[in-house]
Amino acid sequence: MDRLGEGNVPPAFREESDLVKRRLEKLEEWKARGIEPYAIKYPHEDTTTRIRQRFHELGNGEESGYRASLAGRLMALRRHGKACFADLEDGWGRLQLLAAVDSLGEEGYTLFQELDIGDWIGVEGQVFRSRRGELTLRVSRFQLLSKSLRPLPEKWHGLKDVELRYRQRYLDLMVNPEVKRNLLVRVRTIGELRRFLDERDFIEVETPMLQPIPGGATARPFVTYHQALGEDLYLRIAPELYLKRCVVGGLERVYEINRNFRNEGISYKHNPEFTMLEFYWAFVDYLELADFLEEMLTQVVKAVKGELRFTYQGQELDLTPPWRRVTMLEALGEVLGRPVSSSTPVEELRELSARREVPLEEGWGAGKIMTELFEKLVEPELWSPTLVMDYPREVSPLARVHRSDPFLTERFELIVAGREIANAFSELIDPLDQRRRFEEQASQRERGDDEAHLVDHDFLRALEYGMPPTGGLGLGVDRLVMLLTDAHSIREVILFPHLRSEA
RNA sequence: GGGCCGUUAGCUCAGUCGGUAGAGCACCGGACUUUUAAUCCGGGUGUCCUGGGUUCGAUUCCCAGACGGCUCACCA
């Protein structure tokens, strides 16, 4: 038979490799024999890991006397003439199969041998432990559940090409176990964050992804268009202003864990859509939030990692509280080798920036320049968890003015491994002050800062009804998961990271 | 968006100082009833990312482009 005859190859597959064409031929052969290659369902009793747990104690060469049924993907085949070992992988783990003429008969065994790596099959048979100590299912019945037409990546080196890993994450999941492991850490982290907040009577809400005025952060938004309304809408850059509306409405403890979208550069720590936890808690200030964050992350990390000390990118990281607390100006002063304060003149700051080769823009005030210097010179050096307190008012349009210094706000950021993990403040609840801040933002916008905040009149109206004193916090979930999975790139903790479209 | 680097078989990679390329796994044929990176014998399956240029001849050199990585900028 001409296995590679073009006559049998559907047009869509003409360009494919011989490996694919061979599998198509096999598919047609099986169909011709009356075998359905894509089953409707396959009820079964067991999973690989449950069998492993159950027969943990079974000795080498012993029979369990248990007849199991399993379904999974064939990941390896070791043929030995009249017997054949195979590895079956299901959603939980792997188990070895033994197919032999003895238990399958001539016809069944021949079919089994024709299976390809990657095929989904259902199997039934007795469980035993082989002489070499491998727990094994002796196949007495099997059924093809889904024919795989494409060859899997190499069994030993796996799939390394990062572009293929991200574009074809399903392959990455099949052959690189750490992908699933990282995903589970992510899932557990989010679960623990939810649990922590739920236990403290926070309620989870869902606020708009499509917003007429993008607010709550300084970032370029994605724009889209609503046909029926005939108006532009923006994918949210933050949920902040809506969560605060919830607090105005009397939801004293609210949170949301969901996606934000920012139309900025893509890098190892930036994906255009990323997951953020934001919560708002009425009647507390930022100092209480700092304690709360310490407690929350301590509990979450213990639950997920089992310990607070671990290695990140080859360097030890210790999240044991209490974390270092330092004001932004102190930290900046230390690095600059001279004290910086609210009254440090702009000219002096510009001079310091020039000396440290930190480029500045026209129109930046003292607060913005200090923040720039801090982010360029100090933040990357902060490895151990550090709560950086009291950011300038100029860069914090939604935060309350500091109780003892009007140049500053009651705001802190948590920096770990040189990256911002969380950002929190005593919220600005004074509608008149908030209006003034929006106006300042508007004038920054006129001076060319197209990321300055837009005025949200309905948000101001909400504040005018009265918002209770509130503390609010945002936490970058992907970045936290990066720490917990020792991931160098944010793409390792997002299942389908954004890539340019294929050519 | 800028700079640097990369793209060779299904996968992981080598290589060609310019004469259309080769290993392992996978795959195909054969042997084998206890292997588990099975083993043994035989077989290399390719648009060397794409398009131009130089050249008798380009996968190799040059230019442009696509995609990716790192990095800088922006941002979290």
Side-chain angles (χ1 to χ4, degrees):
Chain A
M1 173 180 183
D2 178 12
R3 300 192 65 107
L4 296 180
E6 291 293 308
N8 300 335
V9 179
F13 291 89
R14 295 263 155 84
E15 300 298 308
E16 294 295 342
S17 72
D18 288 349
L19 298 173
V20 173
K21 289 176 186 163
R22 283 216 166 82
R23 288 189 177 206
L24 276 166
E25 297 271 347
K26 201 179 277 184
L27 178 78
E28 294 305 325
E29 284 174 36
W30 280 48
K31 275 186 187 166
R33 280 186 242 162
I35 297 166
E36 168 56 55
Y38 298 103
I40 294 177
K41 60 174 189 172
Y42 189 78
H44 58 284
E45 296 298 315
D46 302 290
T47 67
T48 55
T49 44
R50 253 188 279 141
I51 288 174
R52 280 188 187 285
Q53 282 160 14
R54 183 161 169 189
F55 300 110
H56 181 67
E57 310 267 295
L58 199 65
N60 291 5
E62 278 179 26
E63 293 289 332
S64 72
Y66 176 70
R67 184 184 173 88
S69 56
L70 275 179
R73 191 191 287 275
L74 211 49
M75 293 302 284
L77 277 167
R78 295 177 290 281
R79 296 187 178 89
H80 295 262
K82 298 235 162 49
C84 173
F85 289 98
D87 292 339
L88 187 78
E89 184 163 316
D90 65 9
W92 292 267
R94 276 192 186 202
L95 193 73
Q96 176 168 271
L97 307 178
L98 171 58
V101 185
D102 303 349
S103 47
L104 272 172
E106 286 289 346
E107 198 181 330
Y109 182 67
T110 306
L111 276 178
F112 192 91
Q113 275 197 310
E114 284 179 24
L115 290 169
D116 288 307
I117 289 171
D119 287 350
W120 287 87
I121 58 171
V123 294
E124 275 177 51
Q126 298 285 333
V127 175
F128 71 105
R129 190 176 294 280
S130 73
R131 278 178 242 158
R132 295 287 194 86
E134 187 74 36
L135 198 65
T136 305
L137 183 147
R138 186 183 296 105
V139 181
S140 49
R141 287 178 60 182
F142 78 96
Q143 184 188 341
L144 177 62
L145 301 179
S146 185
K147 182 69 197 161
S148 171
L149 297 177
R150 292 181 184 278
L152 258 44
E154 206 240 343
K155 63 183 168 188
W156 192 242
H157 298 93
L159 186 66
K160 291 237 174 73
D161 183 312
V162 288
E163 185 174 354
L164 283 184
R165 287 187 48 230
Y166 300 151
R167 284 198 198 282
Q168 295 181 256
R169 185 68 99 181
Y170 40 90
L171 281 182
D172 202 18
L173 280 163
M174 274 179 235
V175 301
N176 293 327
E178 65 277 11
V179 179
K180 202 186 278 182
R181 212 185 55 219
N182 287 353
L183 174 66
L184 290 177
V185 168
R186 181 188 179 98
V187 167
R188 265 187 249 129
T189 300
I190 291 172
E192 290 296 329
L193 287 169
R194 277 211 169 90
R195 202 157 70 89
F196 186 89
L197 291 166
D198 291 343
E199 278 170 359
R200 285 156 184 79
D201 297 326
F202 281 80
I203 57 173
E204 184 172 10
V205 294
E206 293 165 275
T207 65
M209 296 278 170
L210 291 174
Q211 302 181 350
I213 300 167
T218 51
R220 194 175 308 122
F222 286 95
V223 193
T224 186
Y225 180 74
H226 192 290
Q227 294 292 345
L229 298 180
E231 66 180 30
D232 281 342
L233 289 172
Y234 301 87
L235 270 63
R236 75 173 187 196
I237 55 176
E240 173 154 355
L241 301 188
Y242 286 90
L243 289 170
K244 284 179 175 173
R245 285 172 168 96
C246 292
V247 178
V248 169
L251 305 179
E252 288 181 17
R253 298 180 194 186
V254 287
Y255 75 97
E256 179 163 11
I257 298 179
N258 222 323
R259 228 69 64 79
N260 288 344
F261 305 85
R262 298 191 186 173
N263 206 340
E264 310 278 0
I266 297 172
S267 80
Y268 71 96
K269 51 179 174 176
H270 301 276
N271 196 59
E273 49 183 302
F274 63 101
T275 299
M276 182 100 155
L277 158 67
E278 279 200 19
F279 71 75
Y280 291 82
W281 183 8
F283 312 118
V284 307
D285 67 3
Y286 80 133
L287 297 172
E288 285 164 276
L289 286 183
D291 296 339
F292 188 79
L293 177 64
E294 233 173 33
E295 194 189 340
M296 179 168 78
L297 287 192
T298 299
Q299 183 164 317
V300 167
V301 172
K302 265 189 195 156
V304 172
K305 296 258 327 169
E307 53 199 342
L308 294 172
R309 286 165 65 134
F310 50 90
T311 302
Y312 182 66
Q313 300 294 291
Q315 215 173 321
E316 178 167 305
L317 194 55
D318 188 354
L319 301 185
T320 307
W323 299 334
R324 182 187 172 211
R325 293 189 193 195
V326 64
T327 70
M328 197 192 98
L329 295 184
E330 278 165 16
L332 183 58
E334 275 172 30
V335 166
L336 291 176
R338 56 185 296 175
V340 178
S341 80
S342 311
S343 48
T344 306
V346 185
E347 301 75 44
E348 211 174 307
L349 292 166
R350 288 199 167 270
E351 196 183 302
L352 284 165
S353 305
R355 207 177 304 156
R356 297 300 188 116
E357 292 177 348
V358 176
L360 303 178
E361 283 176 30
E362 284 301 308
W364 284 3
K368 175 66 182 166
I369 295 172
M370 287 168 182
T371 308
E372 187 69 14
L373 286 170
F374 175 80
E375 284 174 359
K376 288 283 164 348
L377 304 176
V378 186
E379 198 169 286
E381 305 304 320
L382 297 177
W383 183 263
S384 298
T386 306
L387 293 162
V388 178
M389 317 296 290
D390 304 340
Y391 280 66
R393 205 187 67 151
E394 187 182 344
V395 296
S396 315
L398 302 167
R400 182 188 190 94
V401 169
H402 199 279
R403 63 194 76 177
S404 55
D405 184 346
F407 178 79
L408 301 173
T409 53
E410 300 207 344
R411 170 182 174 190
F412 71 82
E413 289 195 357
L414 169 64
I415 311 296
V416 183
R419 292 173 206 157
E420 182 192 335
I421 299 294
N423 178 23
F425 24 95
S426 301
E427 299 297 340
L428 172 51
I429 61 170
D430 174 348
L432 305 177
D433 190 9
Q434 182 67 77
R435 189 177 291 276
R436 280 195 299 277
R437 305 284 198 93
F438 275 148
E439 281 159 8
E440 282 170 21
Q441 291 289 309
S443 70
Q444 281 179 25
R445 216 179 167 77
E446 277 162 30
R447 273 178 274 146
D449 181 358
D450 60 357
E451 290 188 352
H453 237 285
L454 290 159
V455 184
D456 184 333
H457 292 284
D458 177 69
F459 175 64
L460 287 172
R461 181 165 60 190
L463 290 188
E464 285 159 14
Y465 281 96
M467 174 166 161
T470 298
L473 181 143
L475 183 144
V477 172
D478 312 275
R479 288 186 177 180
L480 174 60
V481 176
M482 282 171 74
L483 295 178
L484 304 184
T485 54
D486 195 18
H488 164 71
S489 169
I490 195 167
R491 296 184 187 102
E492 298 298 334
V493 300
I494 293 176
L495 268 182
F496 300 98
H498 186 80
L499 294 183
R500 209 180 287 267
S501 300
E502 283 182 83

